[in-house]
Amino acid sequence: MDKPIGVIDSGLGGLSLTKVLVKTLPKESIVYIADSKNCPYGGKTEEEIYRLTRRMVKYLLKRKIKLLIVACNTITVTSINDLREEFKDIPIVGMVPVIKTAAQKTRNGKIGVYSTVVTSKSKYQKDLINKFASGIDVINIGSSALVSLIEKGKDKEIESVLREELNIFKENNIGTLALGCSHFPLIKRQIAKILPEVLILDSSGAVSRQVKRILEANGMLPTSKDSVYNFITTGNKDFFEKFVKKTLGKKLTNKAKIERISLQ
Ligand code: DGL
């Protein structure tokens, strides 16, 4: 059997990427881990984020993946260099918010970037803004509440947090909004309701295309036609299973294996 692509996230966010990845690379097998037990990662120290991330990567390496996608902006901005240093044998692709596209597509020279607090304050994200959006007004804000609410499926609370936090983008009349947290595409519809005039962009397409290019360039595309999907959580299995099915649809999840594990 072909080796699968490994996808990690602190929780459910990477499922938004996985949905697009499956469309871009339908023959690939995927094994996904959500560390929902320890989510959100945003409030943790960089050392703790790395320790938890490492456990997921080691587990996936035992399962022999061919490429790792870090489908979490918070892990990417804090840990991607160390991960590439420690796990040299496989290509590692991180999440990068589409600030360049947001800057290119804005109609009025104003863009918003919406991520977690850790990501919004990171040097990684600030460097991207300086590189790709110089001369443009950038409103870069981090949310400390949303990830936990998305993990718990608290739709009403999500809406009231969005009404409050998105106000600054409204007041500043931004033209485009780059989502810098992989959980946020999962609530894109609620965001669009509050910012109807704004073009909302996420990185799922860009990251999926990047993965395809890497696999092609290294002769690593699958040889068999049968893709196998495995979704793993460290948290509540019932909730996870429902969420996976709702997000990815029955056609894909009917043949998927969904399980709970504990990592040490
Ligand atoms: N999906 C993660 C991200 O993209 C959420 C981070 C967290 O767990 O705080 O940033």
Side-chain angles (χ1 to χ4, degrees):
M1 201 191 88
D2 291 302
K3 286 185 190 169
I5 292 174
V7 181
I8 57 169
D9 183 44
S10 63
L12 305 168
L15 293 173
S16 54
L17 173 272
T18 303
K19 194 172 175 183
V20 180
L21 186 69
V22 169
K23 286 205 179 112
T24 312
L25 290 161
K27 291 180 189 163
E28 291 292 341
S29 293
I30 296 171
V31 50
Y32 179 102
I33 304 192
D35 193 9
S36 294
K37 185 175 174 215
N38 296 298
C39 192
Y41 277 17
K44 304 188 193 309
T45 61
E46 287 198 11
E47 288 73 24
E48 182 64 355
I49 294 174
Y50 195 72
R51 188 184 72 77
L52 295 168
T53 301
R54 220 170 155 261
R55 299 195 314 182
M56 291 194 273
V57 179
K58 289 198 151 193
Y59 175 85
L60 286 178
L61 287 177
K62 274 196 203 136
R63 308 222 1 192
K64 306 217 182 305
I65 52 168
K66 63 177 170 186
L67 177 144
L68 175 72
I69 304 178
V70 177
C72 174
N73 294 75
T74 302
I75 300 177
T76 302
V77 302
T78 54
S79 313
I80 194 98
N81 294 335
D82 292 340
L83 287 171
R84 287 187 177 134
E85 185 60 34
E86 183 172 355
F87 303 103
K88 289 199 173 77
D89 292 344
I90 47 161
I92 301 181
V93 177
M95 286 302 262
V96 182
V98 279
I99 290 166
K100 189 178 175 184
T101 316
Q104 282 166 348
K105 292 203 169 172
T106 185
R107 51 179 160 72
N108 61 0
K110 290 178 180 182
I111 71 168
V113 186
Y114 194 32
S115 47
T116 61
V117 175
V118 173
T119 302
S120 70
K121 288 189 176 155
S122 68
K123 182 175 178 306
Y124 192 102
Q125 183 141 299
K126 287 185 180 156
D127 285 350
L128 284 175
I129 291 172
N130 289 336
K131 187 166 168 198
F132 293 121
S134 66
I136 281 196
D137 270 354
V138 182
I139 321 277
N140 171 24
I141 67 158
S143 176
S144 52
L146 276 181
V147 171
S148 296
L149 295 175
I150 294 169
E151 285 289 316
K152 293 181 192 129
K154 303 240 180 209
D155 289 337
K156 277 216 178 92
E157 286 88 339
I158 290 171
E159 196 169 328
S160 70
V161 169
L162 286 177
R163 290 214 172 273
E164 209 182 302
E165 291 186 342
L166 297 179
N167 223 3
I168 185 156
F169 295 130
K170 235 182 180 166
E171 283 168 5
N172 282 278
N173 187 30
I174 57 158
T176 50
L177 177 67
L179 301 180
C181 170
S182 61
H183 278 68
F184 296 177
L186 297 169
I187 52 165
K188 201 168 181 172
R189 223 176 300 152
Q190 287 102 304
I191 297 174
K193 230 164 90 183
I194 300 170
L195 300 174
E197 309 290 323
V198 174
L199 177 65
I200 302 165
L201 302 162
D202 71 72
S203 335
S204 308
V207 172
S208 300
R209 289 190 296 275
Q210 189 192 353
V211 170
K212 189 175 177 190
R213 280 195 299 273
I214 293 173
L215 295 178
E216 274 168 356
N218 292 287
M220 289 161 84
L221 287 169
T223 48
S224 116
K225 279 193 194 123
D226 289 324
S227 41
V228 176
Y229 302 117
N230 190 187
F231 297 97
I232 301 166
T233 181
T234 60
N236 181 299
K237 191 191 160 204
D238 291 343
F239 180 76
F240 181 66
E241 186 160 354
K242 273 191 208 131
F243 203 95
V244 170
K245 288 187 170 162
K246 190 176 89 184
T247 310
L248 299 177
K250 280 214 178 90
K251 202 173 152 219
L252 194 149
T253 48
N254 269 348
K255 56 176 185 172
K257 186 171 176 205
I258 303 180
E259 60 188 316
R260 182 187 181 280
I261 56 158
S262 23
L263 291 170
Q264 17 242 324

